[in-house]
Amino acid sequence: MVKQRRMIFLVVFVILIYASHLEQLPRFSSKDMEGKAITMEDLLKTPRVYVLDFWALWCRDCLQFMPHLQDLKKKYKESLLIVSVNNDTTQKASEVRSYIKGKKYDFLVIMDSDFKVKNLLKIQFYPTLLVVNHTGKIVYRHFGATKKAVLEKEIEELIQKLPPRAKEVSPEKRQKKDDAE
Amino acid sequence: MMRNKWVAILISCVMVGRNSLKAAPPQFSGSLYLKGSGNQLSLTRKAEEELILIFTKNSLQGGIRLDNYHPFPNRTRVMKWREGYLGYLKGNWEIRAGDFTETFGHGILLSSYRFKELDVDTLLRGVRGKFTQGRGVFTAFSAEGREKRKNHCLTGAHLSYEFSPKLRGGMSAISAKIPTPVEEGKQSLWGADAQYSSPSWDASLEYTSLVKKGLTPKKGHSLYADFNWYALRPFTVSFAWKNYRNINYPYALGPTLKSNFETANYDDEMGFQATVLYAPSPSLEVKMSHNESNNSTDTFPFRENEFTVRIFPEGKTREVYGWFRDKYDPGDTEVDFELDVTHDLTASTSLVFQWYSEDHTPSFQRYKVRAGAVGFFLDNNRYYVGYTAQKTTRASEPQRDWGFLECHYNPTNAMKIQLFWGSDRGGRQCTSGICVIRPPMEGSRLEITSFF
């Protein structure tokens, strides 16, 4: 019996190792802080690098990392889209709004108060950062506190792989394209 | 035999996921979560496995979640198909059959969700349709509760409309049957919500009404309003007000207007919260908050003050965090304090120090809680090793001194291994950059999570 249990554990462990590779971002829809519908499919229409940050007001390490996300947004401009996914319940919606606007963070905030996106992307740790390439594949996944330099290196690596046209498009043209979409 | 079947399911699902991901769509993704723990003193050991699979093909999307739980001593196992859904999305239409979450307005009328770490599951099982046309979104559903709430039956609709980019409004109605041993529990609810947002201020308002018929009829209502003012930057001033009367039903989750540690009484509570956030630069944040509430007979006054300072200094010390709270209710007066420091020792190694204290003075017995933690992040947070000690003088707790060692290791981007050894008092804890709600625990625990 013990032998059998060990065998099962070994098999499952091997599967886990074998299964660890790139994951495609599933399709999801949610709302931003103003209640406007957001779909990941629409966001992915513009080729760029995406960082999905799962956070909550009670998670201090999440709040600690937010100024870095704002810096990264400023640095990489249209090549990077920060999608900040808030996982507080509806009870804290007003507090989330006042915190984000009060701190002058201007990245996209998704209010995932029913944890639909969290459960879809199987988030179990806070903060979790997903670095997604322009085709929608999750290339890097960070659990817990992350170093800004590490994230920066990964973003740069993925920006290098952006299709040439995406790199060439000027911010003005990109804005027009986004508006049209 | 059952175990072999379970392993076979796991292997086949994972292999299908793996192979399909390489090939053309449909695409699969998933996660596998394994948890095993042992305690030599009580000889209790258990293992939990969770498998989630999601597939997408053109307009179709579906997913399943399987849980397997087996405490070893009695060899009984519970393997269950916990969740499943199939969705169709085309143009302005979205139809979903199976398990789903839904929130209307601020969640006072309807808030259905699953949060595994908090062990909350109010998912609905049925059919839901969504139709978007221009500035309007119409949602309708008919569903029943799940597991312990299987006899609940809900039918509802919500219409939201964007009057302008700044103003949005909505109306909702729900007909619910929540039976009790003595009655059918038929109730009807309706609500209206509005939200305004501009760069200098934003506000929201929600009204909800409940009428319950049957042997114990009741009428309830709730009114909630909040206002955030940004014109005085770097100050942000917030004010929120609530009035809940007989609005307590299993799918309601209105704003508490209290700190994270407190809940609201949806049967009878009225109160407010005022907050000032001072954020002159990205490296400094000061927050002061005060809230008060009471019931309609003025017999349960509640007061709470919170003060938080967060500094992100330039240089090797990354964060200094200080938090103070004092709380008063008729049963207890509590004063809490927390200090955390995160310091970079080298470019890839960090030290985290945490200190936490709670002083309670209830009418029957005073008690204290103290906790301290030291941890190291190594190799750019790939490894974490930390020790936490906890002490309490509370007579009703099973033991007074607790201490545990934690090691975390991320071998790949898609895998996390966590090892725990010792005894943990439980409760809400944030260590190694992760915040979770933990039950009391003694022994050792190994958790492996893999994503694919």
Side-chain angles (χ1 to χ4, degrees), chain B residues 377-399:
Chain B
F377 287 101
L378 309 164
D379 191 14
N380 286 317
N381 300 350
R382 205 166 173 206
Y383 302 87
Y384 170 81
V385 182
Y387 184 77
T388 304
Q390 302 157 318
K391 192 176 176 67
T392 175
T393 57
R394 194 179 197 178
S396 60
E397 292 207 26
Q399 67 185 72

Side-chain angles (χ1 to χ4, degrees), chain B residues 281-416:
Chain B
S281 70
S283 58
L284 176 66
E285 187 186 310
V286 181
K287 193 177 168 187
M288 285 168 285
S289 176
H290 172 78
N291 70 69
E292 281 186 27
S293 62
N294 210 327
N295 60 7
S296 55
T297 51
D298 284 342
T299 50
F300 199 87
F302 178 93
R303 282 193 307 274
E304 207 178 15
N305 292 304
E306 269 190 295
F307 182 75
T308 310
V309 181
R310 186 176 281 118
I311 307 165
F312 305 107
E314 296 290 327
K316 287 197 164 183
T317 301
R318 256 193 291 150
E319 188 194 18
V320 178
Y321 170 88
W323 172 77
F324 170 85
R325 172 173 86 127
D326 84 282
K327 182 198 95 172
Y328 166 82
D329 70 43
D332 189 12
T333 302
E334 182 182 336
V335 179
D336 305 337
F337 173 72
E338 186 176 338
L339 177 72
D340 295 4
V341 179
T342 310
H343 183 79
D344 287 341
L345 297 170
T346 67
S348 61
T349 309
S350 318
L351 166 75
V352 180
F353 169 79
Q354 298 180 314
W355 170 255
Y356 175 76
S357 76
E358 258 178 50
D359 285 87
H360 295 259
T361 48
S363 47
F364 48 96
Q365 193 221 358
R366 285 167 178 257
Y367 69 92
K368 292 175 181 178
V369 179
R370 301 282 183 264
V374 180
F376 293 91
F377 287 101
L378 309 164
D379 191 14
N380 286 317
N381 300 350
R382 205 166 173 206
Y383 302 87
Y384 170 81
V385 182
Y387 184 77
T388 304
Q390 302 157 318
K391 192 176 176 67
T392 175
T393 57
R394 194 179 197 178
S396 60
E397 292 207 26
Q399 67 185 72
R400 309 292 163 78
D401 294 292
W402 312 74
F404 60 87
L405 186 76
E406 267 185 308
C407 302
H408 296 186
Y409 171 51
N410 306 335
T412 71
N413 263 310
M415 184 181 266
K416 187 169 184 77

Side-chain angles (χ1 to χ4, degrees), chain B residues 61 104-105 133-134 188 215 256 330 416 438:
Chain B
Q61 189 176 47
F104 288 174
Q133 181 67 55
S188 20
L215 287 172
T256 57
K416 187 169 184 77
R438 287 199 182 115

Side-chain angles (χ1 to χ4, degrees), chain A residues 23-41:
Chain A
E23 177 194 346
Q24 183 75 30
L25 201 64
R27 190 169 56 202
F28 64 80
S29 61
S30 197
K31 286 174 182 172
D32 69 6
M33 287 197 301
E34 272 75 46
K36 196 179 149 195
I38 302 282
T39 68
M40 200 62 215
E41 225 170 7

Side-chain angles (χ1 to χ4, degrees), chain A residues 5 9, chain B residues 33-49 68-73 75 418-424 438-448:
Chain A
R5 200 179 295 153
F9 183 79
Chain B
Y33 170 69
L34 289 163
K35 188 161 113 178
S37 65
N39 182 343
Q40 290 186 333
L41 294 171
S42 65
L43 291 172
T44 56
R45 288 194 292 166
K46 64 174 186 177
E48 291 171 45
E49 293 126 29
N68 187 28
Y69 172 78
H70 41 109
F72 289 139
R75 308 251 183 267
Q418 294 167 273
L419 182 68
F420 168 98
W421 183 77
S423 60
D424 179 12
R438 287 199 182 115
M441 147 96 194
E442 187 169 5
S444 55
R445 182 174 62 217
L446 174 70
E447 290 176 59
I448 305 167

